[in-house]
Amino acid sequence: MPNSSIKNEKMYEELRDRGESKEKAARIANASASEGKKKVSARGGKSGSYDDMTKDELYERAKKVGIEGRSGMSKDELVKALRDH
């Protein structure tokens, strides 16, 4: 069933089939529809490794993307939550 808030349904479904969360799949699909797939894919992978970040850096990243319960999470839990988001 088409979702009016998703701009690239095909890409959204492909990402969901690969196991991405609904939010992440929608974010990527909508960005590729408005900016172009090449531009979106070119910037992918430029972020540093979560394993190399401090707990404070991970906390700020989790806060930015809206992960709930982050204040009580350990560094490993923050990494897992961000990877699963």
Side-chain angles (χ1 to χ4, degrees):
M1 172 191 265
N3 182 333
S4 62
S5 66
I6 305 297
K7 295 179 177 119
N8 185 336
E9 278 288 333
K10 183 179 177 191
M11 177 174 273
Y12 174 81
E13 291 302 327
E14 289 172 3
L15 291 164
R16 291 292 292 143
D17 290 344
R18 286 193 339 212
E20 301 295 348
S21 70
K22 289 179 182 180
E23 183 180 332
K24 185 173 183 179
R27 191 170 53 242
I28 293 169
N30 289 343
S32 72
S34 64
E35 299 175 39
K37 192 173 181 178
K38 275 189 170 183
K39 188 173 182 179
V40 172
S41 65
R43 75 170 175 248
K46 301 234 170 132
S47 181
S49 170
Y50 289 142
D51 297 319
D52 296 335
M53 293 181 178
T54 66
K55 183 178 178 185
D56 289 338
E57 291 169 325
L58 293 166
Y59 176 86
E60 289 304 317
R61 177 77 53 102
K63 182 178 177 182
K64 183 177 179 180
V65 298
I67 294 174
E68 294 184 19
R70 63 188 173 269
S71 62
M73 292 183 183
S74 67
K75 180 178 178 179
D76 289 338
E77 290 169 327
L78 285 166
V79 169
K80 182 175 181 348
L82 286 163
R83 287 185 175 145
D84 291 345
H85 181 69

